[in-house]
Amino acid sequence: MMQKKIATALALVALVVTGVATSASAAAQVDRVDGPFMTVVPVAFADNPAGVELMFAECDFVQRVVKPDGTAVETQHCRLAGPFVEFPGSPPTQAFNPPPGPCLWFSDYAQLTTGEVVWAESVKLTVTPSGNVNVTTRYPALPLDC
């Protein structure tokens, strides 16, 4: 009886170790596109049909990490540029952090590498009065239909 318990325990340990080794071997894929490249960012809420004031920003890079489950996270750093006629906004007087949500940002990485429009599941955006722009976006394994 004791030998059966030991054999069962060893079999369970082997399964756990195999599962850990398999998941550890499925590494994330990382890619980066260096700038400069331009994007458009909201800098304030506004009384216009879009509900936001927009400006161009020049980005240093966008980095994409695709996890083994197919979800992805992108990070990028930019600086406000302009104002331009198309987007005559101005830097915020205090840090601007619009609320996160789906379909509010599309991937600069996808635009630059494939030309596709891939919508983010969530975006964390900070625009500072000094003009720095930091963006972290999350993407589901299957593209959103926005």
Side-chain angles (χ1 to χ4, degrees):
M1 183 75 160
M2 182 62 115
Q3 288 176 339
K4 186 175 180 180
K5 285 184 180 180
I6 292 173
T8 302
L10 288 175
L12 286 173
V13 168
L15 284 173
V16 169
V17 169
T18 302
V20 169
T22 301
S23 65
S25 67
Q29 298 174 351
V30 180
D31 195 17
R32 178 181 170 114
V33 176
D34 288 316
F37 60 87
M38 299 295 275
T39 194
V40 176
V41 297
V43 293
F45 293 114
D47 293 329
N48 63 37
V52 293
E53 188 175 305
L54 301 172
M55 287 187 73
F56 281 110
E58 184 175 69
C59 300
D60 301 322
F61 69 88
V62 58
Q63 181 169 300
R64 180 176 178 85
V65 177
V66 180
K67 300 177 185 178
D69 65 2
T71 61
V73 176
E74 292 178 8
T75 55
Q76 61 195 87
H77 177 264
C78 313
R79 281 201 52 78
L80 293 177
F84 294 96
V85 173
E86 300 91 341
F87 301 115
S90 56
T93 56
Q94 61 183 13
F96 180 69
N97 302 94
C103 302
L104 298 174
W105 185 276
F106 61 84
S107 170
D108 285 313
Y109 176 85
Q111 279 286 292
L112 293 165
T113 58
T114 66
E116 295 178 88
V117 174
V118 177
W119 290 98
E121 182 174 61
S122 69
V123 57
K124 182 179 181 196
L125 169 72
T126 302
V127 182
T128 67
S130 64
N132 285 311
V133 179
N134 293 297
V135 186
T136 301
T137 48
R138 298 187 184 285
Y139 299 86
L142 298 174
L144 293 178
D145 184 19
C146 296

